[in-house]
PDB file of all heavy atoms in Angstrom:
ATOM      1  N   GLU A 232    -110.142 -62.352  10.259  1.00  0.00           N
ATOM      2  CA  GLU A 232    -108.790 -61.870   9.877  1.00  0.00           C
ATOM      3  C   GLU A 232    -107.900 -62.879   9.119  1.00  0.00           C
ATOM      4  O   GLU A 232    -106.788 -62.507   8.815  1.00  0.00           O
ATOM      5  CB  GLU A 232    -108.099 -61.434  11.229  1.00  0.00           C
ATOM      6  CG  GLU A 232    -108.970 -60.402  12.097  1.00  0.00           C
ATOM      7  CD  GLU A 232    -109.129 -59.213  11.264  1.00  0.00           C
ATOM      8  OE1 GLU A 232    -108.164 -58.712  10.581  1.00  0.00           O
ATOM      9  OE2 GLU A 232    -110.294 -58.719  11.262  1.00  0.00           O
ATOM     10  N   LYS A 233    -108.420 -64.081   8.863  1.00  0.00           N
ATOM     11  CA  LYS A 233    -107.566 -65.129   8.366  1.00  0.00           C
ATOM     12  C   LYS A 233    -107.352 -64.854   6.890  1.00  0.00           C
ATOM     13  O   LYS A 233    -108.214 -64.438   6.298  1.00  0.00           O
ATOM     14  CB  LYS A 233    -108.395 -66.395   8.503  1.00  0.00           C
ATOM     15  CG  LYS A 233    -107.581 -67.629   8.080  1.00  0.00           C
ATOM     16  CD  LYS A 233    -108.405 -68.941   8.291  1.00  0.00           C
ATOM     17  CE  LYS A 233    -108.396 -69.435   9.757  1.00  0.00           C
ATOM     18  NZ  LYS A 233    -108.757 -70.757   9.967  1.00  0.00           N
ATOM     19  N   THR A 234    -106.074 -65.139   6.453  1.00  0.00           N
ATOM     20  CA  THR A 234    -105.761 -64.967   5.021  1.00  0.00           C
ATOM     21  C   THR A 234    -105.317 -66.284   4.407  1.00  0.00           C
ATOM     22  O   THR A 234    -104.975 -66.366   3.296  1.00  0.00           O
ATOM     23  CB  THR A 234    -104.647 -63.958   4.847  1.00  0.00           C
ATOM     24  OG1 THR A 234    -103.490 -64.424   5.588  1.00  0.00           O
ATOM     25  CG2 THR A 234    -105.157 -62.616   5.463  1.00  0.00           C
ATOM     26  N   ASP A 235    -105.214 -67.400   5.254  1.00  0.00           N
ATOM     27  CA  ASP A 235    -104.782 -68.663   4.676  1.00  0.00           C
ATOM     28  C   ASP A 235    -105.257 -69.799   5.626  1.00  0.00           C
ATOM     29  O   ASP A 235    -105.755 -69.497   6.742  1.00  0.00           O
ATOM     30  CB  ASP A 235    -103.121 -68.689   4.571  1.00  0.00           C
ATOM     31  CG  ASP A 235    -102.715 -69.767   3.575  1.00  0.00           C
ATOM     32  OD1 ASP A 235    -103.568 -70.566   3.041  1.00  0.00           O
ATOM     33  OD2 ASP A 235    -101.529 -69.885   3.425  1.00  0.00           O
ATOM     34  N   HIS A 236    -105.004 -71.012   5.217  1.00  0.00           N
ATOM     35  CA  HIS A 236    -105.259 -72.171   6.024  1.00  0.00           C
ATOM     36  C   HIS A 236    -106.903 -72.137   6.484  1.00  0.00           C
ATOM     37  O   HIS A 236    -107.149 -72.362   7.559  1.00  0.00           O
ATOM     38  CB  HIS A 236    -104.471 -72.229   7.329  1.00  0.00           C
ATOM     39  CG  HIS A 236    -102.988 -72.253   7.000  1.00  0.00           C
ATOM     40  ND1 HIS A 236    -102.428 -73.134   6.200  1.00  0.00           N
ATOM     41  CD2 HIS A 236    -102.046 -71.272   7.251  1.00  0.00           C
ATOM     42  CE1 HIS A 236    -101.063 -72.804   6.054  1.00  0.00           C
ATOM     43  NE2 HIS A 236    -100.796 -71.754   6.692  1.00  0.00           N
ATOM     44  N   PHE A 237    -107.736 -71.945   5.358  1.00  0.00           N
ATOM     45  CA  PHE A 237    -109.152 -71.921   5.749  1.00  0.00           C
ATOM     46  C   PHE A 237    -109.648 -73.272   5.943  1.00  0.00           C
ATOM     47  O   PHE A 237    -109.146 -74.409   5.536  1.00  0.00           O
ATOM     48  CB  PHE A 237    -109.789 -71.239   4.402  1.00  0.00           C
ATOM     49  CG  PHE A 237    -109.447 -69.867   4.335  1.00  0.00           C
ATOM     50  CD1 PHE A 237    -108.542 -69.426   3.372  1.00  0.00           C
ATOM     51  CD2 PHE A 237    -110.116 -68.766   5.049  1.00  0.00           C
ATOM     52  CE1 PHE A 237    -108.203 -68.114   3.118  1.00  0.00           C
ATOM     53  CE2 PHE A 237    -109.825 -67.553   4.913  1.00  0.00           C
ATOM     54  CZ  PHE A 237    -108.851 -67.189   3.981  1.00  0.00           C
ATOM     55  N   ARG A 238    -110.768 -73.294   6.682  1.00  0.00           N
ATOM     56  CA  ARG A 238    -111.482 -74.544   7.119  1.00  0.00           C
ATOM     57  C   ARG A 238    -111.856 -75.423   5.901  1.00  0.00           C
ATOM     58  O   ARG A 238    -111.756 -76.562   5.847  1.00  0.00           O
ATOM     59  CB  ARG A 238    -112.549 -74.197   8.060  1.00  0.00           C
ATOM     60  CG  ARG A 238    -113.303 -75.462   8.453  1.00  0.00           C
ATOM     61  CD  ARG A 238    -114.632 -75.126   9.251  1.00  0.00           C
ATOM     62  NE  ARG A 238    -114.118 -74.515  10.619  1.00  0.00           N
ATOM     63  CZ  ARG A 238    -114.952 -74.013  11.533  1.00  0.00           C
ATOM     64  NH1 ARG A 238    -116.336 -74.092  11.298  1.00  0.00           N
ATOM     65  NH2 ARG A 238    -114.519 -73.384  12.658  1.00  0.00           N
ATOM     66  N   ALA A 239    -112.493 -74.678   4.929  1.00  0.00           N
ATOM     67  CA  ALA A 239    -112.920 -75.384   3.623  1.00  0.00           C
ATOM     68  C   ALA A 239    -111.753 -76.016   2.931  1.00  0.00           C
ATOM     69  O   ALA A 239    -111.939 -77.173   2.373  1.00  0.00           O
ATOM     70  CB  ALA A 239    -113.524 -74.419   2.730  1.00  0.00           C
ATOM     71  N   SER A 240    -110.529 -75.380   2.880  1.00  0.00           N
ATOM     72  CA  SER A 240    -109.365 -75.980   2.342  1.00  0.00           C
ATOM     73  C   SER A 240    -108.969 -77.215   3.082  1.00  0.00           C
ATOM     74  O   SER A 240    -108.666 -78.225   2.472  1.00  0.00           O
ATOM     75  CB  SER A 240    -108.306 -74.931   2.229  1.00  0.00           C
ATOM     76  OG  SER A 240    -108.666 -73.763   1.498  1.00  0.00           O
ATOM     77  N   SER A 241    -108.968 -77.111   4.347  1.00  0.00           N
ATOM     78  CA  SER A 241    -108.548 -78.298   5.213  1.00  0.00           C
ATOM     79  C   SER A 241    -109.587 -79.391   4.931  1.00  0.00           C
ATOM     80  O   SER A 241    -109.060 -80.594   4.892  1.00  0.00           O
ATOM     81  CB  SER A 241    -108.504 -77.985   6.662  1.00  0.00           C
ATOM     82  OG  SER A 241    -107.625 -76.867   6.879  1.00  0.00           O
ATOM     83  N   TYR A 242    -110.798 -79.205   4.788  1.00  0.00           N
ATOM     84  CA  TYR A 242    -111.741 -80.097   4.583  1.00  0.00           C
ATOM     85  C   TYR A 242    -111.531 -80.905   3.353  1.00  0.00           C
ATOM     86  O   TYR A 242    -111.610 -82.146   3.192  1.00  0.00           O
ATOM     87  CB  TYR A 242    -113.207 -79.633   4.646  1.00  0.00           C
ATOM     88  CG  TYR A 242    -114.271 -80.671   4.376  1.00  0.00           C
ATOM     89  CD1 TYR A 242    -114.605 -81.530   5.415  1.00  0.00           C
ATOM     90  CD2 TYR A 242    -114.980 -80.548   3.173  1.00  0.00           C
ATOM     91  CE1 TYR A 242    -115.695 -82.444   5.076  1.00  0.00           C
ATOM     92  CE2 TYR A 242    -116.008 -81.567   2.812  1.00  0.00           C
ATOM     93  CZ  TYR A 242    -116.344 -82.410   3.812  1.00  0.00           C
ATOM     94  OH  TYR A 242    -117.395 -83.283   3.602  1.00  0.00           O
ATOM     95  N   ILE A 243    -111.304 -80.121   2.284  1.00  0.00           N
ATOM     96  CA  ILE A 243    -110.997 -80.787   0.949  1.00  0.00           C
ATOM     97  C   ILE A 243    -109.745 -81.583   0.928  1.00  0.00           C
ATOM     98  O   ILE A 243    -109.699 -82.724   0.452  1.00  0.00           O
ATOM     99  CB  ILE A 243    -111.029 -79.718  -0.175  1.00  0.00           C
ATOM    100  CG1 ILE A 243    -112.324 -79.071  -0.353  1.00  0.00           C
ATOM    101  CG2 ILE A 243    -110.474 -80.229  -1.464  1.00  0.00           C
ATOM    102  CD1 ILE A 243    -113.373 -80.117  -1.020  1.00  0.00           C
ATOM    103  N   GLU A 244    -108.715 -81.023   1.552  1.00  0.00           N
ATOM    104  CA  GLU A 244    -107.464 -81.901   1.735  1.00  0.00           C
ATOM    105  C   GLU A 244    -107.683 -83.112   2.456  1.00  0.00           C
ATOM    106  O   GLU A 244    -107.328 -84.277   2.007  1.00  0.00           O
ATOM    107  CB  GLU A 244    -106.473 -81.037   2.536  1.00  0.00           C
ATOM    108  CG  GLU A 244    -105.923 -79.704   1.727  1.00  0.00           C
ATOM    109  CD  GLU A 244    -104.629 -80.074   1.022  1.00  0.00           C
ATOM    110  OE1 GLU A 244    -104.123 -81.277   0.986  1.00  0.00           O
ATOM    111  OE2 GLU A 244    -104.111 -79.073   0.280  1.00  0.00           O
ATOM    112  N   TYR A 245    -108.467 -83.061   3.488  1.00  0.00           N
ATOM    113  CA  TYR A 245    -108.691 -84.189   4.342  1.00  0.00           C
ATOM    114  C   TYR A 245    -109.514 -85.234   3.546  1.00  0.00           C
ATOM    115  O   TYR A 245    -109.168 -86.516   3.561  1.00  0.00           O
ATOM    116  CB  TYR A 245    -109.591 -83.799   5.629  1.00  0.00           C
ATOM    117  CG  TYR A 245    -110.206 -84.928   6.257  1.00  0.00           C
ATOM    118  CD1 TYR A 245    -109.426 -85.769   7.074  1.00  0.00           C
ATOM    119  CD2 TYR A 245    -111.611 -85.183   6.197  1.00  0.00           C
ATOM    120  CE1 TYR A 245    -110.041 -86.865   7.799  1.00  0.00           C
ATOM    121  CE2 TYR A 245    -112.261 -86.332   6.825  1.00  0.00           C
ATOM    122  CZ  TYR A 245    -111.369 -87.067   7.636  1.00  0.00           C
ATOM    123  OH  TYR A 245    -112.027 -88.123   8.292  1.00  0.00           O
ATOM    124  N   GLN A 246    -110.514 -84.867   2.882  1.00  0.00           N
ATOM    125  CA  GLN A 246    -111.286 -85.783   2.048  1.00  0.00           C
ATOM    126  C   GLN A 246    -110.454 -86.472   0.971  1.00  0.00           C
ATOM    127  O   GLN A 246    -110.666 -87.611   0.547  1.00  0.00           O
ATOM    128  CB  GLN A 246    -112.496 -85.073   1.383  1.00  0.00           C
ATOM    129  CG  GLN A 246    -113.620 -84.832   2.360  1.00  0.00           C
ATOM    130  CD  GLN A 246    -114.211 -85.841   3.186  1.00  0.00           C
ATOM    131  OE1 GLN A 246    -114.303 -87.019   2.627  1.00  0.00           O
ATOM    132  NE2 GLN A 246    -114.881 -85.687   4.229  1.00  0.00           N
ATOM    133  N   GLY A 247    -109.561 -85.745   0.316  1.00  0.00           N
ATOM    134  CA  GLY A 247    -108.751 -86.181  -0.671  1.00  0.00           C
ATOM    135  C   GLY A 247    -107.804 -87.346  -0.204  1.00  0.00           C
ATOM    136  O   GLY A 247    -107.571 -88.364  -0.663  1.00  0.00           O
ATOM    137  N   ASP A 248    -107.088 -86.936   1.011  1.00  0.00           N
ATOM    138  CA  ASP A 248    -106.143 -87.939   1.686  1.00  0.00           C
ATOM    139  C   ASP A 248    -106.884 -89.184   2.048  1.00  0.00           C
ATOM    140  O   ASP A 248    -106.325 -90.298   1.939  1.00  0.00           O
ATOM    141  CB  ASP A 248    -105.545 -87.224   2.891  1.00  0.00           C
ATOM    142  CG  ASP A 248    -104.449 -86.121   2.496  1.00  0.00           C
ATOM    143  OD1 ASP A 248    -103.939 -86.244   1.395  1.00  0.00           O
ATOM    144  OD2 ASP A 248    -104.294 -85.129   3.263  1.00  0.00           O
ATOM    145  N   LYS A 249    -108.096 -88.858   2.561  1.00  0.00           N
ATOM    146  CA  LYS A 249    -108.928 -90.099   3.048  1.00  0.00           C
ATOM    147  C   LYS A 249    -109.237 -91.019   1.931  1.00  0.00           C
ATOM    148  O   LYS A 249    -109.107 -92.288   2.071  1.00  0.00           O
ATOM    149  CB  LYS A 249    -110.254 -89.606   3.640  1.00  0.00           C
ATOM    150  CG  LYS A 249    -111.021 -90.632   4.350  1.00  0.00           C
ATOM    151  CD  LYS A 249    -112.333 -89.872   4.938  1.00  0.00           C
ATOM    152  CE  LYS A 249    -113.260 -90.878   5.503  1.00  0.00           C
ATOM    153  NZ  LYS A 249    -114.507 -90.231   6.055  1.00  0.00           N
ATOM    154  N   LEU A 250    -109.516 -90.626   0.733  1.00  0.00           N
ATOM    155  CA  LEU A 250    -109.857 -91.470  -0.400  1.00  0.00           C
ATOM    156  C   LEU A 250    -108.473 -92.114  -0.873  1.00  0.00           C
ATOM    157  O   LEU A 250    -108.528 -93.325  -1.113  1.00  0.00           O
ATOM    158  CB  LEU A 250    -110.537 -90.644  -1.494  1.00  0.00           C
ATOM    159  CG  LEU A 250    -110.894 -91.706  -2.675  1.00  0.00           C
ATOM    160  CD1 LEU A 250    -112.025 -92.628  -2.280  1.00  0.00           C
ATOM    161  CD2 LEU A 250    -111.236 -90.936  -3.903  1.00  0.00           C
ATOM    162  N   VAL A 251    -107.463 -91.335  -0.964  1.00  0.00           N
ATOM    163  CA  VAL A 251    -106.198 -91.972  -1.389  1.00  0.00           C
ATOM    164  C   VAL A 251    -105.777 -93.193  -0.598  1.00  0.00           C
ATOM    165  O   VAL A 251    -105.165 -94.237  -1.040  1.00  0.00           O
ATOM    166  CB  VAL A 251    -105.078 -90.919  -1.384  1.00  0.00           C
ATOM    167  CG1 VAL A 251    -103.615 -91.572  -1.539  1.00  0.00           C
ATOM    168  CG2 VAL A 251    -105.320 -89.938  -2.466  1.00  0.00           C
ATOM    169  N   LYS A 252    -106.018 -93.049   0.770  1.00  0.00           N
ATOM    170  CA  LYS A 252    -105.668 -94.201   1.649  1.00  0.00           C
ATOM    171  C   LYS A 252    -106.459 -95.574   1.546  1.00  0.00           C
ATOM    172  O   LYS A 252    -106.096 -96.604   1.878  1.00  0.00           O
ATOM    173  CB  LYS A 252    -105.915 -93.823   3.113  1.00  0.00           C
ATOM    174  CG  LYS A 252    -104.889 -92.760   3.548  1.00  0.00           C
ATOM    175  CD  LYS A 252    -105.099 -92.204   5.007  1.00  0.00           C
ATOM    176  CE  LYS A 252    -104.147 -91.128   5.411  1.00  0.00           C
ATOM    177  NZ  LYS A 252    -104.520 -90.651   6.740  1.00  0.00           N
ATOM    178  N   ARG A 253    -107.566 -95.413   0.754  1.00  0.00           N
ATOM    179  CA  ARG A 253    -108.460 -96.561   0.623  1.00  0.00           C
ATOM    180  C   ARG A 253    -108.807 -96.810  -0.814  1.00  0.00           C
ATOM    181  O   ARG A 253    -109.532 -97.959  -0.964  1.00  0.00           O
ATOM    182  CB  ARG A 253    -109.830 -96.435   1.448  1.00  0.00           C
ATOM    183  CG  ARG A 253    -110.739 -95.299   0.886  1.00  0.00           C
ATOM    184  CD  ARG A 253    -112.068 -95.377   1.624  1.00  0.00           C
ATOM    185  NE  ARG A 253    -113.068 -94.398   1.117  1.00  0.00           N
ATOM    186  CZ  ARG A 253    -113.950 -94.630   0.034  1.00  0.00           C
ATOM    187  NH1 ARG A 253    -113.987 -95.762  -0.573  1.00  0.00           N
ATOM    188  NH2 ARG A 253    -114.721 -93.667  -0.289  1.00  0.00           N
ATOM    189  N   PHE A 254    -108.506 -96.145  -1.826  1.00  0.00           N
ATOM    190  CA  PHE A 254    -108.912 -96.428  -3.162  1.00  0.00           C
ATOM    191  C   PHE A 254    -107.695 -96.315  -4.112  1.00  0.00           C
ATOM    192  O   PHE A 254    -106.587 -96.003  -3.642  1.00  0.00           O
ATOM    193  CB  PHE A 254    -110.053 -95.388  -3.518  1.00  0.00           C
ATOM    194  CG  PHE A 254    -110.923 -96.167  -4.576  1.00  0.00           C
ATOM    195  CD1 PHE A 254    -111.900 -96.955  -4.108  1.00  0.00           C
ATOM    196  CD2 PHE A 254    -110.976 -95.743  -5.893  1.00  0.00           C
ATOM    197  CE1 PHE A 254    -112.827 -97.627  -4.915  1.00  0.00           C
ATOM    198  CE2 PHE A 254    -111.796 -96.238  -6.681  1.00  0.00           C
ATOM    199  CZ  PHE A 254    -112.740 -97.182  -6.281  1.00  0.00           C
ATOM    200  N   ASN A 255    -107.900 -96.558  -5.304  1.00  0.00           N
ATOM    201  CA  ASN A 255    -106.851 -96.541  -6.304  1.00  0.00           C
ATOM    202  C   ASN A 255    -107.156 -95.651  -7.461  1.00  0.00           C
ATOM    203  O   ASN A 255    -108.318 -95.673  -7.969  1.00  0.00           O
ATOM    204  CB  ASN A 255    -106.706 -98.033  -6.789  1.00  0.00           C
ATOM    205  CG  ASN A 255    -105.706 -98.170  -7.969  1.00  0.00           C
ATOM    206  OD1 ASN A 255    -106.101 -98.293  -9.111  1.00  0.00           O
ATOM    207  ND2 ASN A 255    -104.393 -98.039  -7.619  1.00  0.00           N
ATOM    208  N   ALA A 256    -106.191 -94.929  -7.937  1.00  0.00           N
ATOM    209  CA  ALA A 256    -106.403 -93.899  -9.007  1.00  0.00           C
ATOM    210  C   ALA A 256    -106.749 -94.540 -10.400  1.00  0.00           C
ATOM    211  O   ALA A 256    -107.620 -94.005 -11.062  1.00  0.00           O
ATOM    212  CB  ALA A 256    -105.113 -93.102  -9.237  1.00  0.00           C
ATOM    213  N   GLN A 257    -106.130 -95.672 -10.611  1.00  0.00           N
ATOM    214  CA  GLN A 257    -106.515 -96.412 -11.943  1.00  0.00           C
ATOM    215  C   GLN A 257    -107.910 -96.870 -12.015  1.00  0.00           C
ATOM    216  O   GLN A 257    -108.534 -96.928 -13.013  1.00  0.00           O
ATOM    217  CB  GLN A 257    -105.325 -97.474 -12.147  1.00  0.00           C
ATOM    218  CG  GLN A 257    -104.092 -96.809 -12.395  1.00  0.00           C
ATOM    219  CD  GLN A 257    -102.822 -97.786 -12.468  1.00  0.00           C
ATOM    220  OE1 GLN A 257    -103.043 -99.002 -12.077  1.00  0.00           O
ATOM    221  NE2 GLN A 257    -101.689 -97.463 -12.877  1.00  0.00           N
ATOM    222  N   SER A 258    -108.366 -97.500 -10.821  1.00  0.00           N
ATOM    223  CA  SER A 258    -109.704 -97.787 -10.619  1.00  0.00           C
ATOM    224  C   SER A 258    -110.721 -96.711 -10.792  1.00  0.00           C
ATOM    225  O   SER A 258    -111.693 -96.790 -11.488  1.00  0.00           O
ATOM    226  CB  SER A 258    -110.018 -98.563  -9.261  1.00  0.00           C
ATOM    227  OG  SER A 258    -109.636 -99.831  -9.374  1.00  0.00           O
ATOM    228  N   TYR A 259    -110.327 -95.552 -10.252  1.00  0.00           N
ATOM    229  CA  TYR A 259    -111.189 -94.359 -10.235  1.00  0.00           C
ATOM    230  C   TYR A 259    -111.321 -93.889 -11.671  1.00  0.00           C
ATOM    231  O   TYR A 259    -112.388 -93.541 -12.119  1.00  0.00           O
ATOM    232  CB  TYR A 259    -110.620 -93.290  -9.358  1.00  0.00           C
ATOM    233  CG  TYR A 259    -111.527 -92.246  -8.922  1.00  0.00           C
ATOM    234  CD1 TYR A 259    -112.127 -92.242  -7.679  1.00  0.00           C
ATOM    235  CD2 TYR A 259    -111.818 -91.059  -9.787  1.00  0.00           C
ATOM    236  CE1 TYR A 259    -113.119 -91.192  -7.259  1.00  0.00           C
ATOM    237  CE2 TYR A 259    -112.659 -90.056  -9.374  1.00  0.00           C
ATOM    238  CZ  TYR A 259    -113.301 -90.159  -8.115  1.00  0.00           C
ATOM    239  OH  TYR A 259    -114.165 -89.131  -7.749  1.00  0.00           O
ATOM    240  N   TRP A 260    -110.193 -93.872 -12.299  1.00  0.00           N
ATOM    241  CA  TRP A 260    -110.248 -93.366 -13.740  1.00  0.00           C
ATOM    242  C   TRP A 260    -111.081 -94.327 -14.643  1.00  0.00           C
ATOM    243  O   TRP A 260    -111.901 -93.928 -15.381  1.00  0.00           O
ATOM    244  CB  TRP A 260    -108.794 -93.436 -14.315  1.00  0.00           C
ATOM    245  CG  TRP A 260    -108.599 -92.754 -15.611  1.00  0.00           C
ATOM    246  CD1 TRP A 260    -108.154 -91.528 -15.852  1.00  0.00           C
ATOM    247  CD2 TRP A 260    -108.663 -93.442 -16.904  1.00  0.00           C
ATOM    248  NE1 TRP A 260    -107.974 -91.275 -17.255  1.00  0.00           N
ATOM    249  CE2 TRP A 260    -108.301 -92.471 -17.954  1.00  0.00           C
ATOM    250  CE3 TRP A 260    -109.030 -94.689 -17.332  1.00  0.00           C
ATOM    251  CZ2 TRP A 260    -108.408 -92.625 -19.307  1.00  0.00           C
ATOM    252  CZ3 TRP A 260    -109.152 -94.957 -18.697  1.00  0.00           C
ATOM    253  CH2 TRP A 260    -108.782 -93.970 -19.570  1.00  0.00           C
ATOM    254  N   LEU A 261    -110.837 -95.643 -14.458  1.00  0.00           N
ATOM    255  CA  LEU A 261    -111.706 -96.616 -15.094  1.00  0.00           C
ATOM    256  C   LEU A 261    -113.177 -96.545 -14.912  1.00  0.00           C
ATOM    257  O   LEU A 261    -113.943 -96.638 -15.821  1.00  0.00           O
ATOM    258  CB  LEU A 261    -111.095 -98.000 -14.831  1.00  0.00           C
ATOM    259  CG  LEU A 261    -111.601 -99.207 -15.456  1.00  0.00           C
ATOM    260  CD1 LEU A 261    -110.961 -99.267 -16.987  1.00  0.00           C
ATOM    261  CD2 LEU A 261    -111.278-100.486 -14.787  1.00  0.00           C
ATOM    262  N   LEU A 262    -113.465 -96.429 -13.629  1.00  0.00           N
ATOM    263  CA  LEU A 262    -114.836 -96.373 -13.203  1.00  0.00           C
ATOM    264  C   LEU A 262    -115.649 -95.166 -13.674  1.00  0.00           C
ATOM    265  O   LEU A 262    -116.733 -95.214 -14.003  1.00  0.00           O
ATOM    266  CB  LEU A 262    -115.117 -96.590 -11.726  1.00  0.00           C
ATOM    267  CG  LEU A 262    -114.536 -98.020 -11.213  1.00  0.00           C
ATOM    268  CD1 LEU A 262    -114.700 -98.073  -9.679  1.00  0.00           C
ATOM    269  CD2 LEU A 262    -115.443 -99.068 -11.859  1.00  0.00           C
ATOM    270  N   SER A 263    -114.989 -94.038 -13.638  1.00  0.00           N
ATOM    271  CA  SER A 263    -115.471 -92.812 -14.237  1.00  0.00           C
ATOM    272  C   SER A 263    -115.822 -92.964 -15.694  1.00  0.00           C
ATOM    273  O   SER A 263    -116.802 -92.432 -16.227  1.00  0.00           O
ATOM    274  CB  SER A 263    -114.501 -91.575 -14.004  1.00  0.00           C
ATOM    275  OG  SER A 263    -113.484 -91.464 -14.906  1.00  0.00           O
ATOM    276  N   LYS A 264    -114.858 -93.609 -16.440  1.00  0.00           N
ATOM    277  CA  LYS A 264    -115.215 -93.897 -17.810  1.00  0.00           C
ATOM    278  C   LYS A 264    -116.453 -94.818 -17.964  1.00  0.00           C
ATOM    279  O   LYS A 264    -117.171 -94.653 -18.933  1.00  0.00           O
ATOM    280  CB  LYS A 264    -114.042 -94.583 -18.435  1.00  0.00           C
ATOM    281  CG  LYS A 264    -112.927 -93.709 -18.968  1.00  0.00           C
ATOM    282  CD  LYS A 264    -113.180 -93.064 -20.329  1.00  0.00           C
ATOM    283  CE  LYS A 264    -112.022 -92.407 -20.902  1.00  0.00           C
ATOM    284  NZ  LYS A 264    -112.391 -91.735 -22.362  1.00  0.00           N
ATOM    285  N   ALA A 265    -116.508 -95.698 -17.137  1.00  0.00           N
ATOM    286  CA  ALA A 265    -117.733 -96.683 -17.111  1.00  0.00           C
ATOM    287  C   ALA A 265    -119.083 -95.897 -16.908  1.00  0.00           C
ATOM    288  O   ALA A 265    -120.001 -96.198 -17.566  1.00  0.00           O
ATOM    289  CB  ALA A 265    -117.482 -97.764 -16.198  1.00  0.00           C
TER     290      ALA A 265
END
Side-chain angles (χ1 to χ4, degrees):
E232 303 304 315
K233 185 177 282 191
T234 61
D235 200 358
H236 306 296
F237 292 99
R238 181 181 294 177
S240 296
S241 297
Y242 176 74
I243 289 295
E244 292 268 359
Y245 165 76
Q246 290 294 340
D248 288 335
K249 187 177 175 182
L250 185 70
V251 166
K252 291 175 182 176
R253 70 173 181 86
F254 213 73
N255 172 259
Q257 293 168 349
S258 277
Y259 199 97
W260 190 96
L261 187 76
L262 294 177
S263 76
K264 276 280 190 181

